[in-house]
């Protein structure tokens, strides 16, 4: 994740209400919040704090060649296990690109669709919204200092007088083979311990 959130403009929520907004005094169950990004972004994470929102759907406007296309990357994501209870109503959430239904690349606008079917709460929203872009893989500035000090594979290791690893490995293999031969020789000798001048001693065999 990037150290800082990308630059964006968060618009005021727009309520979706069935019926006449003037005569119908019932609380709207759906709010839409649009977030305009300063430039196209490959999104890595969307983080926020919940405020009584039960379900979240996320739609993205992606730039594709000369046109823009809307896609749904998250559908009815549950923020409150029970819309009528407090659990999850003030939790922090992070939505990662691995959780999304489509790759969130070249995104210019993020649309958050908030839904709360319960009439227990007068208002609902999400707060402290932050969007993070993917780290630039080809940027040297994103490489940790400790990682840049590692010895590249192509460069020979400086052994500082230590024996060559291949020589040590070869010696170990020879020792292992010699050990196997010695163990096999001991087994063969133990099997033939009753052999007396080419024949077997019947008395010795009867005590085994």
């Amino acid at each position: 994740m990037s150290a800082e959130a990308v630059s964006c403009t968060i618009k005021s929520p727009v309520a979706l209400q069935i019926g006449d907004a003037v005569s119908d005094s019932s609380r709207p169950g759906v709010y839409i919040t649009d977030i305009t990004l300063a430039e196209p972004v490959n999104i890595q994470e969307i983080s926020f704090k919940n405020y009584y929102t039960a379900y979240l759907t996320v739609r993205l406007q992606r730039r594709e060649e000369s046109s823009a296309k809307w896609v749904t990357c998250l559908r009815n994501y549950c923020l409150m296990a029970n819309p009528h209870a407090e659990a999850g109503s003030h939790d922090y959430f992070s939505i990662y690109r691995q959780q999304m239904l489509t790759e969130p690349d070249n995104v210019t606008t993020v649309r958050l669709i908030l839904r709360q079917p319960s009439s227990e709460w007068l208002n609902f929203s999400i707060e402290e919204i932050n969007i993070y872009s993917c780290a630039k893989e080809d940027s040297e500035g994103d490489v940790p200092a400790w990682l840049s000090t590692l010895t590249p594979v192509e460069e020979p290791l400086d052994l500082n007088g230590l024996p060559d690893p291949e020589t040590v490995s070869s010696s170990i293999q020879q020792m292992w083979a010699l050990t196997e031969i010695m163990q096999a020789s001991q087994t063969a000798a133990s099997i033939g311990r009753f052999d007396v001048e080419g024949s077997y001693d019947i008395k010795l065999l009867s005590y085994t």
Side-chain angles (χ1 to χ4, degrees):
M1 186 183 70
S2 303
E4 297 182 358
V6 300
S7 177
C8 62
T9 301
I10 304 175
K11 298 181 179 180
S12 299
V14 176
L16 292 185
Q17 189 167 8
I18 300 175
D20 188 352
V22 177
S23 60
D24 191 352
S25 60
S26 64
R27 179 192 57 81
V30 179
Y31 279 103
I32 294 179
T33 299
D34 280 349
I35 305 172
T36 304
L37 306 179
E39 59 182 4
V41 172
N42 295 344
I43 296 176
Q44 172 63 31
E45 176 189 353
I46 302 174
S47 66
F48 56 89
K49 180 183 178 182
N50 190 23
Y51 184 77
Y52 292 106
T53 297
Y55 303 99
L56 171 66
T57 294
V58 180
R59 288 178 57 80
L60 307 175
Q61 187 178 57
R62 300 189 305 186
R63 178 178 295 178
E64 298 181 358
E65 297 179 353
S66 59
S67 62
K69 181 180 179 181
W70 283 98
V71 295
T72 300
C73 72
L74 195 70
R75 182 177 287 110
N76 293 329
Y77 186 77
C78 183
L79 304 180
M80 297 172 63
N82 183 354
H84 306 284
E86 286 275 351
S89 61
H90 291 80
D91 288 353
Y92 284 88
F93 291 88
S94 288
I95 308 298
Y96 297 94
R97 66 183 289 122
Q98 293 83 355
Q99 299 173 259
M100 300 182 185
L101 301 175
T102 184
E103 292 185 354
D105 295 334
N106 295 322
V107 177
T108 57
T109 305
V110 178
R111 173 166 293 172
L112 306 178
I113 303 174
L114 319 179
R115 191 160 61 89
Q116 176 53 272
S118 176
S119 59
E120 293 289 330
W121 324 112
L122 294 177
N123 297 292
F124 63 95
S125 63
I126 60 175
E127 305 168 341
E128 303 178 28
I129 302 171
N130 288 299
I131 298 175
Y132 299 92
S133 64
C134 296
K136 297 180 180 179
E137 296 180 358
D138 56 349
S139 175
E140 294 182 358
D142 294 335
V143 179
W146 64 268
L147 186 59
S148 62
T149 61
L150 294 179
T151 305
V153 176
E154 294 79 5
E155 295 183 8
L157 295 173
D158 184 7
L159 299 176
N160 294 325
L162 295 175
D164 181 60
E166 293 185 1
T167 303
V168 174
S169 177
S170 177
S171 300
I172 292 175
Q173 291 293 331
Q174 293 177 7
M175 293 177 63
W176 175 82
L178 181 59
T179 302
E180 290 293 317
I181 294 173
M182 292 178 63
Q183 290 179 349
S185 299
Q186 291 176 358
T187 302
S190 62
I191 292 174
R193 66 183 181 277
F194 301 120
D195 187 358
V196 180
E197 296 182 356
S199 60
Y200 293 98
D201 190 326
I202 302 299
K203 293 181 179 181
L204 291 176
L205 291 175
S206 63
Y207 286 102
T208 59

